[in-house]
């Protein structure tokens, strides 16, 4: 499942091909891909929109579109969440759609933006109020609101196991299974440790670890693992994730696989002992 670095990589890769283009028409090939508005309204509202900017928030890919009506000040955003198997890419408009293409946006310049999604869990929103979709998300881990002090306080407001809490997008946005396991290993914290047992020093280490793994993930164009995205190479640099039975890069102890909150979890039993 794509996490923050993978979505960031896709956004950066597509940006030069999208900014400045006009959306000529939309071909919605699986109507349930669209969360809002209705398919009819969607096609009407998106037609003729110009793409002003491409960004990311948490695991959402966002196209910022031109104003609804000139001078109205109100503008639409197209939000796409890739979920389990979604992928986005550019194709020549003349190429035939593929089986799992869910949405095709025909752009000026004879190009199309394709949302392809084998497992159909991905969703698309066209809205003038993106906060309705994004408002409940926690802070952006590479943003300025995510500080060691914030993390320490937020961990102590809860009494939850560390890993499920870090995966909770309303707590902190963008982390998934891979980057959480990697962060906890760097910070030498056990995934089931109680959030309110973490010391200030440990919270500082965790803060630094989260930023470090996300930045490294972005630098390596994300990880190409168990989903359709095939561009990255961070999977070659995992410390613990998916490395059961292999040696810990710090102490050579064999990596162990556990289930925490129904999620496959990888730890070094020596470096990450339970408090
Ligand atoms: Zn170790």
């Amino acid at each position: 499942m794509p996490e923050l670095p993978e979505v960031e990589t896709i956004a950066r890769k597509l940006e030069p091909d999208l900014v400045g283009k006009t959306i000529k028409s939309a071909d919605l090939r699986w109507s349930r891909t669209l969360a809002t508005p209705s398919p009819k309204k969607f096609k009407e509202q998106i037609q003729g929109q110009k793409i002003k900017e491409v960004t990311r928030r948490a695991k959402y890919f966002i196209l910022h579109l031109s104003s609804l009506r000139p001078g109205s000040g109100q503008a639409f955003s197209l939000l796409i969440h890739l979920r389990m198997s979604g992928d986005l890419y550019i194709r020549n408009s003349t190429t035939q759609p593929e089986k799992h293409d869910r949405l095709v946006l025909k752009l000026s310049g004879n190009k199309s933006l394709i949302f392809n999604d084998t497992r159909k869990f991905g969703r698309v929103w066209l809205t003038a109020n993106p906060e309705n979709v994004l408002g409940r998300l926690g802070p952006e881990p590479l943003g300025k609101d995510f500080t060691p002090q914030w993390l320490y306080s937020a961990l102590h407001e809860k009494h939850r196991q560390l890993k499920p809490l870090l995966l909770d997008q309303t707590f902190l946005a963008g982390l998934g299974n891979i980057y959480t396991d990697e962060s906890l290993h760097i910070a030498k914290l056990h995934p089931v440790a109680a959030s309110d047992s973490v010391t200030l020093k440990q919270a500082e280490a965790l803060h630094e670890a989260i930023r470090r793994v996300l930045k490294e993930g972005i630098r390596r164009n994300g990880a190409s693992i168990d989903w359709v995205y095939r561009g990255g190479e961070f999977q070659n640099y995992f410390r613990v994730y998916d490395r059961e039975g292999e040696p810990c890069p710090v102490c050579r102890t064999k990596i162990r696989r556990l289930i925490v909150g129904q999620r496959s979890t990888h730890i070094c039993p020596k470096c990450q002992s339970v408090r």
Side-chain angles (χ1 to χ4, degrees):
M1 182 173 185
E3 303 179 30
L4 186 158
E6 288 77 32
V7 181
E8 177 74 21
T9 300
I10 293 171
R12 289 184 186 185
K13 195 175 78 180
L14 295 181
E15 187 189 19
D17 285 323
L18 293 175
V19 172
K21 295 282 195 314
T22 300
I23 299 170
K24 293 167 78 178
S25 64
D27 180 12
L28 181 64
R29 305 178 60 79
W30 170 253
S31 63
R32 282 162 62 191
T33 288
L34 188 64
T36 191
S38 68
K40 186 172 173 283
K41 244 184 161 174
F42 175 77
K43 286 178 194 182
E44 285 168 9
Q45 288 176 334
I46 203 157
Q47 193 173 349
Q49 292 276 343
K50 194 169 176 179
I51 301 168
K52 289 170 69 181
E53 201 185 355
V54 178
T55 60
R56 174 198 59 73
R57 167 80 168 106
K59 303 177 193 171
Y60 291 82
F61 173 88
I62 307 171
L63 292 184
H64 302 265
L65 305 173
S66 48
S67 349
L68 279 175
R69 285 171 297 278
S72 72
Q74 197 187 17
F76 277 122
S77 297
L78 183 76
L79 280 60
I80 302 177
H81 198 299
L82 304 175
R83 296 269 164 80
M84 300 298 287
S85 63
D87 199 6
L88 286 165
Y89 46 86
I90 306 280
R91 208 164 53 200
N92 277 331
S93 291
T94 47
T95 311
Q96 284 299 308
E98 288 169 17
K99 188 180 171 197
H100 302 299
D101 289 352
R102 306 303 174 198
L103 174 65
V104 177
L105 296 179
K106 284 201 172 173
L107 309 174
S108 53
N110 199 32
K111 300 278 185 202
S112 293
L113 174 66
I114 314 292
F115 177 51
N116 182 286
D117 185 17
T118 316
R119 296 180 63 184
K120 299 180 176 173
F121 291 112
R123 286 294 175 268
V124 173
W125 297 254
L126 179 67
T127 175
N129 302 296
E131 283 308 301
N132 291 349
V133 183
L134 306 172
R136 289 185 65 243
L137 290 170
E140 195 64 32
L142 296 176
K144 60 176 173 15
D145 294 339
F146 181 62
T147 62
Q149 188 56 54
W150 177 87
L151 181 61
Y152 176 75
S153 306
L155 289 171
H156 281 255
E157 279 168 21
K158 311 272 181 188
H159 178 68
R160 287 178 63 186
Q161 293 181 336
L162 272 181
K163 179 167 175 180
L165 183 58
L166 292 173
L167 289 175
D168 181 342
Q169 300 296 297
T170 65
F171 180 76
L172 184 64
L175 288 182
N177 222 19
I178 295 175
Y179 295 90
T180 303
D181 281 7
E182 296 290 294
S183 301
L184 289 169
H185 180 263
I186 292 175
K188 294 185 159 49
L189 287 165
H190 197 284
V192 306
S195 60
D196 52 357
S197 73
V198 170
T199 65
L200 179 58
K201 215 173 163 192
Q202 287 172 325
E204 286 168 353
L206 181 58
H207 174 271
E208 195 187 319
I210 289 170
R211 289 204 163 181
R212 183 173 140 192
V213 293
L214 291 175
K215 283 180 187 167
E216 196 187 348
I218 292 170
R219 195 156 54 82
R220 305 217 180 262
N221 298 314
S224 306
I225 188 167
D226 72 17
W227 63 297
V228 292
Y229 171 69
R230 289 286 172 263
E233 52 177 38
F234 188 55
Q235 69 279 8
N236 301 324
Y237 300 90
F238 289 160
R239 300 162 64 97
V240 287
Y241 185 82
D242 207 23
R243 292 190 65 239
E244 185 184 11
E246 291 179 56
C248 165
V250 177
C251 72
R252 314 306 291 169
T253 303
K254 277 188 178 176
I255 303 299
R256 207 177 281 167
R257 182 174 169 271
L258 326 167
I259 301 293
V260 177
Q262 295 159 326
R263 302 295 297 273
S264 173
T265 297
H266 306 82
I267 64 157
C268 168
K270 193 173 169 202
C271 293
Q272 297 167 269
S273 52
V274 189
R275 285 166 52 91

